[in-house]
Amino acid sequence: MPKFVDHDQRRADIGWAVARLIAAEGIQAVSVRAVAAESGYQPSTLRHYFPLADEMTAHALVLISRRQQQRLSAKSWPEDPRLAIREAWCEALPLDDDRRLEAHVWLASSITARSDSARQALGSINEGLDRLCANTIEVYTGRVDDASARTALRAFTDGLALNGIVDPERFTPSVVESSLDLYLDRLQRPDQ
């Protein structure tokens, strides 16, 4: 009787192994040998699914993006658009182990992505963050076409994510959230 192989599960196992390695040891630790050890698959199996190491990283990006989308879709959103925006930012920032892992992969991949598939996956994540910035500025200020405010917000939130990863003792989840709240409060329209 032929052995049934769940190819999607294998790809997911490998992608999550890549994500765990990035979070634990940095993106430089991602090699066929290290991912094989972390995933429990033979190196030849990894090469079958991902001929290039960058493709393994790209798949990890796709997996974290899917997980974020599933988390966002399952969420009950508040009716107040400001509270909904704040909650969306809290889902994007490294406030727990899952989101910290996601931020590690996104940040490391942002610096090192070489393949088209990795750049495409990053582009999709970054487009979502840019939309969130645009929505935030519109909801909090009433301005629709304020590119400089969107850019400043993106730089601020990317900085929060970076510091939440590289200095988690100082940028604890409560510090990240309170910093976000302070920024959002400063965006408020003066008449509100």
Side-chain angles (χ1 to χ4, degrees):
M1 176 176 239
K3 180 180 175 184
F4 174 75
V5 175
D6 185 340
H7 297 288
D8 291 337
Q9 185 60 53
R10 280 190 175 186
R11 290 175 59 83
D13 292 344
I14 294 165
W16 287 117
V18 169
R20 288 189 304 275
L21 274 172
I22 291 171
E25 300 178 37
I27 198 155
Q28 72 281 356
V30 176
S31 68
V32 171
R33 181 174 291 169
V35 174
E38 178 70 24
S39 68
Y41 293 116
Q42 295 295 319
S44 60
T45 301
L46 271 65
R47 287 188 194 98
H48 171 76
Y49 290 104
F50 303 103
L52 302 173
D54 210 38
E55 291 176 2
M56 289 188 294
T57 304
H59 191 63
L61 283 164
V62 168
L63 291 173
I64 66 166
S65 181
R66 279 187 202 150
R67 181 167 77 181
Q68 288 172 335
Q69 290 303 318
Q70 290 169 346
R71 201 170 52 236
L72 292 170
S73 295
K75 193 166 186 57
S76 295
W77 294 95
E79 289 184 28
D80 182 333
R82 288 190 176 121
L83 293 176
I85 291 282
R86 182 193 182 281
E87 285 192 28
W89 278 115
C90 286
E91 291 297 330
L93 292 168
L95 300 178
D96 63 18
D97 290 341
D98 284 347
R99 291 176 279 181
R100 208 171 356 271
L101 178 124
E102 293 163 1
H104 267 285
V105 174
W106 165 76
L107 180 62
S109 300
S110 294
I111 296 167
T112 62
R114 294 178 310 275
S115 71
D116 289 340
S117 57
R119 288 187 188 119
Q120 183 178 15
L122 276 171
S124 176
I125 291 169
N126 287 324
E127 284 172 16
L129 290 169
D130 289 341
R131 276 192 308 277
L132 183 53
C133 286
N135 291 338
T136 301
I137 297 304
E138 183 177 355
V139 166
Y140 275 81
T141 70
R143 297 187 310 265
V144 177
D145 287 327
D146 192 339
S148 62
R150 291 192 312 266
T151 300
L153 175 59
R154 180 65 194 270
F156 173 76
T157 54
D158 284 0
L160 279 180
L162 170 67
N163 283 293
I165 295 302
V166 299
D167 193 2
E169 289 79 27
R170 195 167 117 201
F171 284 84
T172 62
S174 62
V175 168
V176 170
E177 281 192 73
S178 64
S179 298
L180 174 66
D181 289 338
L182 180 63
Y183 195 98
L184 293 176
D185 286 345
R186 290 182 177 170
L187 283 177
Q188 296 274 354
R189 287 183 251 172
D191 60 331
Q192 294 185 349

